[in-house]
Amino acid sequence: MTMINNDLCTGCKICQKYCTVDAILYLNEEKKCYIDQERCTECYVCLRQKVCPQGAIEPIELDNFYKQFQHVISDPVENHGVTGVTGRGTEEVKTNDVSGRIKKGEVGIAIDMGRPGMGVYLRDAEKVAMAIAAVGAELAPQEHTPLAALMTDLKIGKLEEACHNYHLLSVIVEAKCENENLKQVLKALQKVEKEIDTVFSLGLIVRVDEKGQTKVLDCLKELGISEPHRGKVNVGLGKPLSLA
Ligand code: SF4
Ligand code: SF4
């Protein structure tokens, strides 16, 4: 847990500029700053960058599993214990030529929640995961993505109740579906986006046909999902592991 030592704080407010999610608040009565623990993501930016000239920002041992999870996902230099990957702990599903997770006839889905600058409560990540699982998306297991470690049932995307109010800098809800089911999944996302208190960007991982074509763009157009769509192409020359 990140705390401000009240005895050392002079109320200069320098630290506020560095907090990624506006979790450092100023108390007028005391003329000092404090950290809103509900909002802090334990990203440790304020600690790592030593932003306080008084050394008043202090780390307190993270003695609870969800706090540790929050820190590991929110701090880009931490390594996630299960996946062994730094950052948000998930290997790039987008590099499918290496990971081979998305087979022909499938679409990979990476819903990047909370960026930029808003953060995401796990209760909102659950809403999104449950919404797409309910229409047939297959959520990624915990070997691929840390969020799955908090799921009580991977089939429906439900998270443990106790984690709902933890705030992360960002988190990826990762899944895949059959090509034919993509429209239903996107419709579910269009519905649930109105029910959450954060933002997300959607990554779709597709394998183009021999002519370099995909029907996914037609599907986006049909649903009125606005352009521009930004793309990244992996040609698989380095490690074409996925031929299936
Ligand atoms: S930078 Fe340090 S002294 Fe200044 S308000 Fe923040 S915690 Fe207090
Ligand atoms: S740990 Fe991160 S979220 Fe928490 S107060 Fe510091 S900068 Fe803000």
Side-chain angles (χ1 to χ4, degrees):
M1 195 184 301
T2 313
M3 303 277 285
I4 291 179
N5 184 326
N6 205 42
D7 294 335
L8 297 178
C9 178
T10 60
C12 69
K13 301 186 188 174
I14 290 173
C15 53
Q16 285 188 308
K17 293 196 268 271
Y18 293 89
C19 180
T20 48
V21 292
D22 294 334
I24 302 181
L25 305 177
Y26 181 73
L27 264 182
N28 267 327
E29 312 83 69
E30 291 196 33
K31 301 205 174 353
K32 288 175 192 279
C33 279
Y34 76 101
I35 295 175
D36 177 349
Q37 294 300 329
E38 277 258 311
R39 191 144 184 87
C40 174
T41 63
E42 305 298 348
C43 72
Y44 283 13
V45 166
C46 54
L47 287 165
R48 252 194 339 272
Q49 298 307 318
K50 299 184 172 57
V51 301
C52 175
Q54 309 301 325
I57 305 180
E58 299 172 346
I60 310 286
E61 195 182 345
L62 300 170
D63 54 359
N64 122 2
F65 170 75
Y66 298 124
K67 272 273 161 206
Q68 289 164 358
F69 183 91
Q70 186 186 33
H71 168 58
V72 166
I73 301 297
S74 300
D75 181 342
V77 301
E78 274 289 354
N79 178 319
H80 188 267
V82 176
T83 58
V85 179
T86 51
R88 287 165 299 169
T90 185
E91 195 65 75
E92 283 268 311
V93 65
K94 288 172 275 184
T95 51
N96 196 56
D97 48 340
V98 177
S99 67
R101 288 186 215 161
I102 311 304
K103 308 295 179 206
K104 286 180 181 163
E106 295 177 334
V107 182
I109 301 159
I111 305 161
D112 193 346
M113 299 187 67
R115 290 199 300 179
M118 286 195 73
V120 52
Y121 285 96
L122 282 166
R123 55 181 180 260
D124 281 337
E126 177 187 74
K127 280 185 195 162
V128 168
M130 289 186 75
I132 62 169
V135 293
E138 183 188 328
L139 296 165
Q142 63 171 299
E143 307 86 79
H144 295 165
T145 183
L147 187 63
L150 300 179
M151 288 186 185
T152 55
D153 186 343
L154 192 61
K155 284 207 165 43
I156 62 168
K158 183 141 191 57
L159 300 187
E160 295 166 15
E161 291 283 327
C163 77
H164 280 183
N165 293 334
Y166 285 85
H167 196 218
L168 310 183
L169 192 56
S170 66
V171 74
I172 296 178
V173 177
E174 191 180 319
K176 64 179 181 177
C177 70
E178 300 294 321
N179 274 339
E180 300 71 44
N181 200 25
L182 180 63
K183 199 197 283 185
Q184 292 311 314
V185 173
L186 294 179
K187 280 184 175 177
L189 276 175
Q190 286 178 314
K191 184 161 180 279
V192 78
E193 74 176 349
K194 299 177 185 76
E195 297 161 20
I196 57 174
D197 188 22
T198 187
V199 293
F200 63 79
S201 57
L202 171 66
L204 295 176
I205 298 90
V206 294
R207 300 174 62 143
V208 295
D209 63 21
E210 290 71 14
K211 293 182 180 158
Q213 302 295 313
T214 170
K215 293 202 168 115
V216 164
L217 293 176
D218 296 337
C219 187
L220 296 178
K221 199 168 173 188
E222 199 181 322
L223 292 175
I225 296 176
S226 58
E227 297 208 30
H229 311 306
R230 291 182 173 78
K232 168 174 161 186
V233 178
N234 292 348
V235 292
L237 294 178
K239 273 188 170 179
L241 298 182
S242 178
L243 298 173

